[in-house]
């Protein structure tokens, strides 16, 4: 069965062009610095986000953790939002890999208050860990895009206290599409950035960590410690180049489809949804108990060729992607109405 897969944008498969480019990719041993396709990808990616250098890494989690590992020493402290991906969904890796302490602060739909960030920067005291890094996330995994003003304010606090800012930009290009700006307008407010080539951009594997030359040189060695020194990785970079050059333009369509999906859902009585929160390709909503048991939907949808995740914290999340078209969304809505009517 050809499923409509709304679980995440991580489920995207590579396009025909990517498969062809991967087949033909010129490769070498990247640990020796010999892979021309990786070299091309890393310089293209660095230029795209206006950083001096970049590094190919196997995943977004790898890129974030490598950033912490490179910016920080063991026992340092990292300030970040309580609901960001690094805190919520990276398996406690900062304690294991970089050996740092996280200092999560309250977030308002993903946005952290610059004054609260500044308050938590440690002074000199025998009892205190050293604040080594501030992390922000844009677009946020709650589907919201953080304002450039907020990013600027936080970056300026970092500058004032000589503390670098890392941006988890797994969906950086979704944020840029939403804000209608070049990605460099976002990345100018960070010292390092991780962004994914997979997810909405459809590459099968890979993310990029970008920053200063010195930072990336250090990160390259630490990547080796983490087992991320890949050999003929040009096969993956070939798809990554298409992701960055060609696929970014389709993200707006994913966003429009998500909004359309949200609008259709909002017309169903008993479904609670805030359309203003649909900034990118993610639609969060819940249902009144009398309407339907959300846990049961996973199975019912599956029988009809639709994959969704079960509810998390009482909410369902549907995510659009390149392979999901308007007619698929119409089918999802029609199927949902049928399920609700025959309950
Ligand atoms: C905001 C954010 N950061 C990092 C990641 C991690 O990416 P990966 O799944 O490639 O490790 C994700 C994954 O969905 C994410 O949403």
């Amino acid at each position: 069965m050809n499923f409509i897969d709304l679980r995440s944008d991580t489920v995207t498969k590579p396009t025909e062009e990517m498969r062809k480019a991967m087949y033909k990719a010129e490769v070498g041993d990247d640990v020796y610095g010999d892979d021309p396709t990786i070299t091309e990808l890393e310089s293209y990616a660095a230029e795209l986000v206006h950083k001096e250098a970049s590094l190919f890494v196997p995943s977004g989690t790898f890129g974030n953790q490598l950033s912490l590992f490179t910016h920080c020493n063991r026992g340092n402290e990292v300030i970040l939002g309580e609901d960001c991906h690094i805190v919520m969904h990276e398996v406690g890796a900062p304690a294991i890999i970089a050996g740092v302490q996280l200092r999560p602060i309250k977030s308002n739909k993903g946005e952290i208050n610059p004054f609260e960030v500044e308050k938590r920067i440690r002074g000199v005291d025998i009892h205190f860990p050293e604040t080594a890094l501030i992390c922000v996330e844009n677009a946020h995994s709650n589907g919201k895009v953080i304002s450039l003003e907020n990013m600027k304010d936080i970056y300026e606090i970092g500058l004032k206290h000589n503390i670098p800012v890392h941006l988890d930009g797994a969906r950086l290009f979704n944020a840029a599409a939403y804000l209608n700006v070049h990605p460099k307008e976002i990345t100018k407010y960070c010292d390092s950035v991780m962004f994914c080539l997979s997810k909405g951009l459809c590459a099968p594997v890979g993310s990029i960590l970008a920053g200063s030359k010195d930072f990336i040189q250090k990160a390259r060695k630490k990547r080796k410690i983490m087992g991320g020194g890949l050999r003929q990785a040009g096969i993956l970079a070939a798809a990554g180049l298409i992701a960055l050059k060609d696929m970014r333009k389709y993200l707006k369509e994913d966003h429009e489809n998500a909004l359309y999906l949200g609008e259709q859902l909002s017309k169903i009585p008993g479904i609670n949804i805030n359309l203003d929160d649909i900034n990118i390709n993610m639609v969060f909503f819940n249902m009144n108990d009398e309407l339907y048991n959300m846990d049961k939907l996973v199975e019912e949808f599956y029988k009809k060729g639709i994959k969704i995740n079960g509810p998390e914290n009482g909410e369902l999340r549907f995510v659009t992607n390149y392979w999901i078209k308007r007619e698929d969304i119409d089918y999802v809505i029609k199927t949902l109405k049928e399920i609700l009517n025959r309950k």
Side-chain angles (χ1 to χ4, degrees):
M1 192 187 269
N2 227 352
F3 280 93
I4 298 171
D5 199 336
L6 297 169
R7 289 174 300 168
S8 176
D9 51 7
T10 58
V11 301
T12 49
K13 293 183 180 159
T15 63
E16 199 58 35
E17 290 75 22
M18 285 177 174
R19 290 174 191 268
K20 284 185 187 147
M22 290 170 82
Y23 179 70
K24 288 199 209 134
E26 236 190 280
V27 295
D29 185 331
D30 182 47
V31 176
Y32 283 105
D34 264 359
D35 189 306
T37 316
I38 280 281
T39 307
E40 186 187 343
L41 172 68
E42 289 178 347
S43 58
Y44 185 87
E47 201 170 319
L48 186 61
V49 293
H50 272 225
K51 297 292 174 205
E52 286 174 1
S54 92
L55 192 65
F56 180 82
V57 290
S59 69
T61 302
F62 196 116
N64 281 336
Q65 295 306 322
L66 178 60
S67 180
L68 266 61
F69 194 25
T70 308
H71 280 298
C72 308
N73 293 317
R74 288 177 77 78
N76 284 169
E77 194 166 69
V78 177
I79 299 174
L80 69 192
E82 62 186 355
D83 55 354
C84 74
H85 198 272
I86 294 173
V87 171
M88 297 301 291
H89 288 117
E90 299 192 6
V91 213
I96 303 166
I97 300 171
V100 292
Q101 167 163 297
L102 298 183
R103 190 94 186 270
I105 62 178
K106 202 167 165 40
S107 108
N108 178 15
K109 295 190 176 184
E111 223 167 78
I112 50 177
N113 184 323
F115 300 107
E116 295 299 322
V117 172
E118 189 161 29
K119 258 181 11 198
R120 281 163 182 80
I121 293 174
R122 303 283 192 161
V124 180
D125 185 298
I126 194 169
H127 303 93
F128 291 168
E130 198 177 306
T131 306
L133 187 65
I134 300 164
C135 294
V136 291
E137 184 174 313
N138 206 7
H140 200 274
S141 35
N142 64 12
K144 294 282 286 179
V145 172
I146 307 310
S147 71
L148 289 179
E149 293 71 31
N150 182 257
M151 287 197 62
K152 180 170 183 277
D153 290 347
I154 291 170
Y155 185 60
E156 281 173 357
I157 285 166
L159 280 179
K160 183 171 147 198
H161 295 272
N162 207 15
I163 296 169
V165 173
H166 170 71
L167 168 63
D168 175 349
R171 295 183 184 81
L172 170 69
F173 305 111
N174 295 82
Y178 175 77
L179 294 169
N180 218 2
V181 297
H182 189 279
K184 71 178 181 194
E185 296 304 321
I186 303 176
T187 55
K188 70 182 179 193
Y189 300 125
C190 67
D191 298 279
S192 62
V193 55
M194 181 284 291
F195 53 91
C196 294
L197 307 167
S198 57
K199 307 199 168 57
L201 299 183
C202 292
V205 177
S207 295
I208 294 285
L209 180 63
S212 70
K213 263 197 188 130
D214 180 50
F215 172 78
I216 292 300
Q217 196 185 346
K218 286 184 191 143
R220 191 175 290 279
K221 186 144 186 177
K222 298 235 168 172
R223 183 184 69 171
K224 193 77 179 75
I225 295 174
M226 289 167 69
L230 304 178
R231 302 294 178 173
Q232 286 70 36
I235 291 197
L236 302 173
L241 277 162
I242 293 176
L244 293 183
K245 288 180 180 175
D246 299 341
M247 299 304 288
R248 286 187 290 131
K249 62 175 177 277
Y250 298 110
L251 294 176
K252 274 200 170 150
E253 223 171 280
D254 296 349
H255 299 181
E256 283 159 14
N257 281 337
L259 191 57
Y260 175 71
L261 172 60
E263 283 164 355
Q264 300 310 307
L265 287 168
S266 73
K267 290 180 192 159
I268 301 176
I271 286 192
N272 309 306
I273 184 165
N274 184 354
L275 294 179
D276 290 340
D277 284 348
I278 305 175
N279 289 177
I280 56 167
N281 57 355
M282 296 181 179
V283 183
F284 289 85
F285 64 97
N286 65 40
M287 290 177 182
N288 295 347
D289 288 345
E290 320 80 76
L291 185 64
Y292 204 74
N293 175 346
M294 291 196 289
D295 287 305
K296 273 171 58 187
L297 257 192
V298 179
E299 211 180 303
E300 290 289 323
F301 262 148
Y302 191 86
K303 285 188 223 153
K304 297 285 182 182
I306 301 164
K307 289 188 191 178
I308 60 164
N309 285 325
E312 200 177 315
N313 300 323
E315 273 196 316
L316 286 166
R317 184 191 74 167
F318 288 180
V319 187
T320 58
N321 69 61
Y322 177 75
W323 298 106
I324 292 175
K325 303 297 169 202
R326 245 339 129 95
E327 55 273 24
D328 297 324
I329 295 170
D330 288 332
Y331 175 76
V332 170
I333 295 294
K334 180 174 142 282
T335 307
L336 178 59
K337 286 179 179 162
E338 280 168 13
I339 294 170
L340 299 179
N341 280 339
R342 69 175 158 68
K343 118 185 113 111

